[in-house]
Amino acid sequence: IADMIKNYLLIALRNIRKRKTFTTIHVLGLSIAFAASMLLFSTALFEMSFDSFHQNKDHVFQVYREQFTSRGIEKDAPMPVPFVPAVKAEVSGVEDAARYGNGGGLVRAGAKQLETSVIYTDKSFFSMFSFPLLSGNSKDVFKGPGDIVVTRAFAQKIFGTEDVTGKSLELNLNNKWENFIISGVISDPPSNSTLKFDILSPFENFPAYRADENDWTSHNHTVFIQLKEQTKPEDFYRSSKQFINKHFAENIRSMKRDGGKPGQDGQYMRLGLIPLDQLHFSKINNMGNSVNAFFPWMLILLSCVILFVAGSNFVNLSLATSFSRAREIGVRKTFGAMKRQLVVQFWSEALLICLASLLLGGILLFAFLEKYAAITGNKLPLEILLSPRSVILFVVLFAITTLLSGGYPSWIMSNFNTINTLQGKFSLGSKNTLRNTLTVIQFFIAIVLITSTLIIIRQMDYVRNQPLGFNKHQVISIPIGPNIEPESALQQMRVKLASVRNVQNVTGTDINLGRGRDGSSSTSILGFDYKNREIKTNWLRIDYGYLITLDIPLVKGRDFSRDFATDTAAALINEKMAALMGDKDPVGKILPVDEGRGLKVIGVVKDFHFKNLHQEIKPLTMMIRPKEWPVSYIFVKVSPGNLPASMKLVQDAWKEVNPRYTTEPSFLDENTNAEYKKEERLSNIFTVGSGLAIFISCMGLFASALLSMNQRTKEIGIRKVLGANIGGIVALLSKDFAKLIMISFLIAAPLSWFMMSKWLEDFAYHITISLWTLLAGGFVVLAVALLTVSFHAVKAALANPVKSLRTE
């Protein structure tokens, strides 16, 4: 047996060396396909692995509220401070619960100072989630509010060692330094964890804890619950009805009064649960890093497409080369070679090519891993690539690809008629059903990928360049940070920059536009009763000159002015808010907020996109309240021209005002573009994957054209003898491929439109898919096909017809 296998391999190697061109095409196409599919599969597996490492993942959920309002069904993740103690005591089936409040700020240990991420949570966090403690005991790490737990990476960063239990450090809370003792060190959250943190602090230190300890109307943090093993989510929904009606009675009364319609179970509000292993894909997870659930499946589909195209190419190229091996097959059969032996021989050659392709594909994979991370913004952990699950998957894919792409041509060639093959008179079949089917599928795939890529590129260009209703150019955003008094920082910057010629205006706000280099993206919403109905409005603290700095036009009334001392009790609203109020002229009306003190509307501004284009413009109320509501960002408008020089001037001024700042300023156009990092990542991955699939499809087209020319060599010779010119022969041979492309286009165009329409639904503002975009995919494929076919057709037409007509 060993000698037989050795003989098969030696003959296979000899045959492979004889056909260097086709072998190169085989190996190149398959190696690129293997590398791309392994990368895409690994990326998909990584996305699907989020939060799956928690031992309690089947029983831990994030809670959210589902409300049936007059505006439709609204889902909100933030919860009130007293929710967790109450739900543990009053709702059956709840094993445990933990609050999860995001925070951050400055931390210092001795002379070292860092900006970090702080999460305020409960002791139950350590038993619900699988973040192992490296030192300390989970039962007593939070003995008191002065205890904190730090991650290993943070301990190394600030102390230079992991042995930090018992050491003290200071946190800047509400502009006040407070001392804490490290009671434990926890392992770093892995890269596939939705929950990220540097420091864990008792929830009693949460900024809003004291003020909202018994307040059920203020919602400001995330809540996770763990159900008992026998309890199902449906049981929790039923048992929490009375709890909801009791504690959220005020919200329910407002919904009833304003025309809300209850759900099928008669409830105006109910609690929903997001399974822990689905947290990464939930838009309401309140973590700001969710991914569309279709994303990993799209990557798997794309990798399968690439493998299919490469396998189809292998089949077509193998069949194309079978013509040159016809006499070899006939001789082998004449000397007694059995069909099984021929299949094994040809499949051995395919196996060697596939193994070489897999080896080269693996080298390409690791060679381009860093480049892939740079292009897609997706750093893939090596442990995902080398995990047993990934290795098994790759082996299975390799086996399937090799069996299908190598086995079928081997079986076809072993069935050639002995006499015909010796005479060179054989055919793969007049109808060429398989070849045409594979060609149609390849054209179909190419058209879908090209069309989808064009639509993604157009939409990303749209979100980058769509007018947002404010001037995002020439405006620098400075995160103030926690180590300086915000209002003082704003006034000092105004003084510093007043004499700088490049600076046109300086203002402040509490919420950034887009996502700056501090990574913050927040929303503030206020609800109040107006004319016996509830109104919800986004709430924005601005400062004098905000409208001028951002070129936001006034529709009615006036802007804030220092000439009016009462403007600290006034408000500007946008057109959406004016329409929601329902007044013919809202200027002069009083908004009943601040416990009856009220805000007088002094002006209406034109609607602008203060959130990204995924969301429709919502009602907005802007006010100036320096004492109660400090600014968090300084906006500086600079003159057009040398923007890098202007940025340098602003940075130098900021360094003088706040020498210990931790986050660099950025331009607003950078910030608004940063809102679409996930989409850019999707676009880059899809574009790279599509490009590879299209490239491999072109190689397949080369194989199909070559196979067609080989089959019609004598026909071309006869037509030349009878007087056909080169143009006529090219048109004749191109006609068949044009028909196949038309069939592919008729299937691909509606599917592309449907798929991309669904993707665009994720944007409140998006492009319209035009007819020319759909046609473009078909035209590109048609052009490539005609060029390829024409090349082979011209070559065949120029050949001496005597050679093609000669009988061997």
Side-chain angles (χ1 to χ4, degrees):
I1 294 175
D3 290 338
M4 184 177 67
I5 293 172
K6 181 181 178 182
N7 184 56
Y8 279 131
L9 293 176
L10 285 173
I11 295 172
L13 285 169
R14 190 184 306 130
N15 286 321
I16 287 170
R17 283 199 300 269
K18 281 168 63 179
R19 285 175 291 277
K20 294 184 178 66
T21 302
F22 283 107
T23 301
T24 302
I25 294 173
H26 274 316
V27 172
L28 183 61
L30 277 176
S31 60
I32 291 173
F34 281 136
S37 60
M38 284 190 288
L39 264 179
L40 294 173
F41 260 109
S42 300
T43 304
L45 291 176
F46 174 68
E47 296 291 342
M48 290 176 168
S49 72
F50 263 74
D51 305 307
S52 60
F53 59 90
H54 295 289
Q55 292 181 358
N56 295 325
K57 63 178 183 296
D58 296 329
H59 306 292
V60 175
F61 304 83
Q62 184 193 331
V63 188
Y64 66 90
R65 287 170 293 116
E66 193 172 35
Q67 303 170 111
F68 296 86
T69 71
S70 57
R71 300 175 293 276
I73 299 175
E74 295 180 354
K75 296 179 180 181
D76 292 317
M79 290 291 171
V81 170
F83 181 90
V84 162
V87 79
K88 287 168 69 174
E90 300 175 26
V91 179
S92 61
V94 176
E95 178 77 22
D96 219 333
R99 292 167 286 200
Y100 189 90
N102 275 304
L106 286 177
V107 178
R108 71 184 180 192
K112 199 164 188 178
Q113 185 170 296
L114 294 173
E115 190 164 5
T116 190
S117 166
V118 181
I119 294 299
Y120 301 93
T121 188
D122 297 294
K123 188 186 295 185
S124 50
F125 177 89
F126 299 97
S127 60
M128 290 171 61
F129 298 97
S130 300
F131 297 111
L133 277 168
L134 305 176
S135 67
N137 189 313
S138 61
K139 294 181 179 179
D140 57 12
V141 285
F142 283 174
K143 282 184 178 179
D147 292 334
I148 59 171
V149 174
V150 300
T151 63
R152 173 167 35 193
F154 180 77
Q156 284 280 5
K157 191 185 296 185
I158 197 162
F159 289 106
T161 177
E162 296 175 27
D163 186 18
V164 296
T165 303
K167 293 186 177 181
S168 65
L169 54 74
E170 292 179 284
L171 289 177
N172 190 306
L173 303 177
N174 299 318
N175 293 315
K176 181 183 176 184
W177 288 102
E178 296 185 23
N179 194 62
F180 291 87
I181 301 297
I182 298 173
S183 57
V185 177
I186 199 168
S187 60
D188 302 327
S191 55
N192 60 343
S193 173
T194 304
L195 309 182
K196 304 285 187 184
F197 50 84
D198 294 320
I199 296 175
L200 295 171
S201 172
F203 195 79
E204 289 79 5
N205 297 321
F206 189 55
Y209 179 75
R210 298 298 173 199
D212 299 336
E213 191 172 4
N214 299 304
D215 186 354
W216 285 87
T217 62
S218 179
H219 310 111
N220 48 29
H221 65 281
T222 301
V223 166
F224 293 97
I225 65 166
Q226 181 178 337
L227 298 181
K228 294 177 179 176
E229 285 195 17
Q230 303 82 5
T231 305
K232 297 180 180 178
E234 298 78 24
D235 301 329
F236 175 78
Y237 299 147
R238 286 192 293 271
S239 59
S240 64
K241 285 182 181 179
Q242 186 177 349
F243 174 85
I244 283 284
N245 294 334
K246 173 185 174 183
H247 294 291
F248 293 90
E250 187 175 334
N251 302 66
I252 294 171
R253 278 195 297 272
S254 297
M255 283 186 276
K256 286 181 179 179
R257 181 198 61 196
D258 297 341
K261 294 182 180 180
Q264 292 181 349
D265 57 358
Q267 290 288 109
Y268 283 85
M269 183 188 293
R270 61 187 177 203
L271 294 178
L273 299 176
I274 304 170
L276 188 58
D277 58 2
Q278 293 300 309
L279 197 62
H280 183 56
F281 304 112
S282 172
K283 291 183 181 179
I284 53 173
N285 70 9
N286 206 37
M287 307 293 172
N289 56 0
S290 64
V291 169
N292 193 304
F294 181 64
F295 176 60
W297 291 107
M298 188 206 71
L299 296 182
I300 290 174
L301 180 64
L302 186 56
S303 59
C304 289
V305 162
I306 291 172
L307 278 178
F308 172 81
V309 171
S312 300
N313 291 353
F314 196 104
V315 171
N316 281 342
L317 276 170
S318 297
L319 293 177
T321 57
S322 66
F323 289 90
S324 63
R325 303 187 67 179
R327 290 165 68 190
E328 175 198 339
I329 295 166
V331 170
R332 283 177 177 275
K333 284 194 169 186
T334 302
F335 280 95
M338 298 173 63
K339 181 178 176 180
R340 176 178 56 81
Q341 292 172 314
L342 290 173
V343 169
V344 172
Q345 179 62 60
F346 296 135
W347 185 77
S348 299
E349 295 174 20
L351 179 62
L352 286 176
I353 291 172
C354 288
L355 283 171
S357 303
L358 182 65
L359 178 62
L360 181 58
I363 294 170
L364 289 173
L365 170 66
F366 286 99
F368 287 96
L369 206 54
E370 290 298 323
K371 188 72 174 175
Y372 174 79
I375 293 172
T376 63
N378 192 59
K379 190 167 178 61
L380 204 59
L382 278 176
E383 56 266 26
I384 290 289
L385 280 170
L386 302 176
S387 67
R389 184 182 177 187
S390 297
V391 172
I392 291 170
L393 185 62
F394 297 153
V395 169
V396 170
L397 286 172
F398 171 76
I400 292 171
T401 304
T402 306
L403 283 170
L404 294 180
S405 60
Y408 179 77
S410 302
W411 180 76
I412 289 290
M413 287 188 282
S414 67
N415 278 303
F416 288 163
N417 181 278
T418 306
I419 302 299
N420 288 344
T421 52
L422 285 172
Q423 294 178 345
K425 297 176 182 178
F426 73 97
S427 171
L428 293 175
S430 58
K431 293 184 178 179
N432 296 316
T433 305
L434 175 69
R435 190 197 73 188
N436 288 343
T437 301
L438 290 176
T439 303
V440 166
I441 293 173
Q442 285 194 345
F443 286 151
F444 160 77
I445 289 169
I447 292 169
V448 169
L449 292 176
I450 291 170
T451 305
S452 301
T453 303
L454 287 174
I455 292 170
I456 289 173
I457 290 171
R458 282 188 61 210
Q459 176 62 18
M460 295 315 300
D461 184 64
Y462 175 85
V463 298
R464 281 191 292 264
N465 299 307
Q466 169 74 356
L468 300 177
F470 65 89
N471 174 35
K472 64 178 181 178
H473 306 290
Q474 306 157 224
V475 179
I476 297 170
S477 170
I478 306 172
I480 295 173
N483 57 357
I484 188 172
E485 203 283 314
E487 298 300 321
S488 170
L490 174 59
Q491 301 313 321
Q492 288 183 64
M493 284 296 285
R494 278 196 168 115
V495 173
K496 282 274 182 192
L497 298 174
S499 58
V500 178
R501 213 169 90 185
N502 285 22
V503 174
Q504 296 181 0
N505 216 327
V506 179
T507 189
T509 180
D510 68 324
I511 295 177
N512 205 357
L513 289 170
R515 194 179 293 270
R517 294 183 184 173
D518 61 346
S520 175
S521 179
S522 56
T523 299
S524 182
I525 298 176
L526 180 71
F528 57 89
D529 283 347
Y530 183 78
K531 293 184 177 178
N532 294 318
R533 59 191 176 87
E534 186 185 34
I535 282 182
K536 281 189 177 180
T537 174
N538 284 264
W539 198 247
L540 185 64
R541 153 72 158 104
I542 65 174
D543 208 81
Y544 299 104
Y546 187 84
L547 302 188
I548 298 171
T549 302
L550 297 175
D551 296 331
I552 299 172
L554 266 169
V555 177
K556 291 180 180 178
R558 64 173 179 85
D559 192 1
F560 290 116
S561 171
R562 291 184 178 83
D563 296 335
F564 297 87
T566 57
D567 273 5
T568 53
L572 290 172
I573 61 174
N574 68 351
E575 292 171 303
K576 288 279 187 182
M577 180 61 179
L580 186 61
M581 289 172 65
D583 295 304
K584 189 174 181 180
D585 185 3
V587 176
K589 303 299 181 184
I590 304 296
L591 302 179
V593 295
D594 284 355
E595 299 177 354
R597 285 184 289 173
L599 291 175
K600 182 180 180 180
V601 177
I602 60 170
V604 179
V605 304
K606 194 167 183 62
D607 286 337
F608 65 97
H609 292 275
F610 56 93
K611 289 293 176 185
N612 60 45
L613 295 180
H614 285 290
Q615 307 172 45
E616 291 184 2
I617 296 175
K618 299 290 179 66
L620 176 67
T621 302
M622 296 172 280
M623 46 78 198
I624 296 179
R625 306 294 287 273
K627 293 180 181 178
E628 300 95 337
W629 212 301
V631 294
S632 300
Y633 298 89
I634 298 170
F635 288 170
V636 181
K637 184 177 182 180
V638 297
S639 303
N642 193 346
L643 295 180
S646 298
M647 172 64 87
K648 179 72 166 56
L649 289 170
V650 171
Q651 281 182 308
D652 289 344
W654 180 235
K655 195 176 290 184
E656 289 181 33
V657 171
N658 183 14
R660 301 186 74 178
Y661 74 94
T662 54
T663 306
E664 295 289 336
S666 57
F667 282 100
L668 282 190
D669 51 1
E670 294 176 49
N671 296 357
T672 52
N673 289 340
E675 286 278 25
Y676 308 104
K677 276 187 176 179
K678 285 183 295 186
E679 288 74 18
E680 288 282 1
R681 178 180 160 217
L682 166 65
S683 173
N684 290 337
I685 291 175
F686 196 80
T687 302
V688 171
S690 299
L692 290 173
I694 293 165
F695 171 73
I696 298 170
S697 292
C698 290
M699 294 176 66
L701 182 58
F702 174 87
S704 295
L706 181 60
L707 180 59
S708 180
M709 298 308 111
N710 285 343
Q711 282 188 286
R712 303 179 73 172
T713 301
K714 284 184 171 57
E715 178 191 345
I716 294 168
I718 292 169
R719 288 182 180 276
K720 278 199 74 177
V721 170
L722 294 176
N725 58 30
I726 294 175
I729 292 173
V730 171
L732 174 71
L733 297 174
S734 300
K735 182 176 67 175
D736 292 340
F737 282 95
K739 287 178 183 177
L740 297 178
I741 291 172
M742 181 57 68
I743 294 169
S744 304
F745 176 76
L746 292 175
I747 302 170
L751 180 64
S752 300
W753 178 86
F754 175 77
M755 286 170 49
M756 298 316 295
S757 294
K758 287 293 181 184
W759 179 70
L760 289 172
E761 284 177 4
D762 201 35
F763 295 85
Y765 303 89
H766 55 76
I767 61 169
T768 302
I769 301 176
S770 58
L771 179 62
W772 78 262
T773 307
L774 297 174
L775 291 173
F779 282 132
V780 170
V781 171
L782 180 63
V784 172
L786 292 180
L787 284 171
T788 307
V789 174
S790 298
F791 169 77
H792 288 297
V794 169
K795 187 178 177 182
L798 291 172
N800 188 341
V802 175
K803 290 183 179 180
S804 61
L805 292 172
R806 185 175 58 197
T807 301
E808 300 189 26

